[in-house]
Amino acid sequence: MVSPRLVAKIEAEEPTLRLAVLIDADNAQAAVIEGLLAEIARFGEATVKRIYGDFTAPTSASWKKVLQQYAIKPIQQFAYTTGKNATDSTLIIDAMDLLYTRKFDGFCLITSDSDFTGLAMRLREEGLTVLGFGEKKTPDAFRNACHKFIFTEFLRPGATTEISVPDKKVESGQRLAHAPAISNTTDTKPPFPANFLLAALEQSSDDAGWAQLGTFGSYLTKLQPDFDSRLYGYKKLSDLVKAKKELFLTEERLAPGSTLKVLYLRAKQ
């Protein structure tokens, strides 16, 4: 179930979440840091920012250059034994310590490692929002354990809104039968998931067939945490539904007791 706080954010409320940002330096690239923090700011405030790794190793040199600039606290973890990842254990222990302070509404886990699946599930059990950030190679297990998963390829400087993601098998009970078929090539945009979107819209609409954009967006996230309109060339979900005139009818309405307009949509008959 998607956190009510995340639903509120999807429905275009001001950022309200107090977030702990935990970065696995062994499985994340320093090139995405600016875009990453900007993306996190869409959901709330990064109250804690920590990164875990062996910063004496040459592979961490790129991270060392940006830690001070972005006020990220490094947690040094030496690699005691070849082939064993001590960084994972340190990050998980820290996350549980932060969890029990009860000061946070959610956690941002920046990693492409499925070893953090159990951590994400445990945080969700405590009613906290879990936002995952990782590369397209990230296994399904970790993606689906998060409330929302975002591909870090979108966050690189100069990144376009068109990337491909690995082929994914749709498991029973995990996604709708018409979830998008994802391309396995590195230069082909995945097919547009029209059937998936229409099925989700049917489930999230009222008796007249209309759905508020925020309600529709939150339902998409429940069904498929890594759904992102940027995969299909649209910066926002609202841009996508407005552009697909052959699929959707859209209408702006005044929100009750407000002068703000809210976007509604329904399937085109």
Side-chain angles (χ1 to χ4, degrees), residues 141-159:
F142 179 64
R143 296 191 204 182
N144 292 326
C146 301
H147 285 105
K148 178 69 178 173
F149 184 88
I150 296 166
F151 295 112
T152 53
E153 282 85 354
F154 289 131
L155 309 180
R156 294 178 179 275

Side-chain angles (χ1 to χ4, degrees), residues 192-249:
F192 186 77
N195 291 333
F196 171 66
L197 292 174
L198 291 172
L201 178 58
E202 182 179 358
Q203 296 296 322
S204 57
S205 60
D206 58 22
D207 292 340
W210 289 93
Q212 199 242 24
L213 181 68
T215 303
F216 176 56
S218 65
Y219 193 76
L220 286 174
T221 302
K222 290 178 186 178
L223 294 172
Q224 190 170 317
D226 59 1
F227 177 83
D228 197 317
S229 59
R230 289 173 291 192
L231 277 171
Y232 310 102
Y234 299 95
K235 185 177 180 181
K236 299 178 181 179
L237 182 60
S238 58
D239 296 334
L240 184 153
V241 299
K242 288 178 181 178
K244 295 296 179 178
K245 298 183 183 299
E246 71 278 15
L247 296 177
F248 307 111
L249 296 175

Side-chain angles (χ1 to χ4, degrees), residues 182-195:
I182 306 298
S183 170
N184 193 27
T185 61
T186 57
D187 57 358
T188 304
K189 186 169 63 173
F192 186 77
N195 291 333

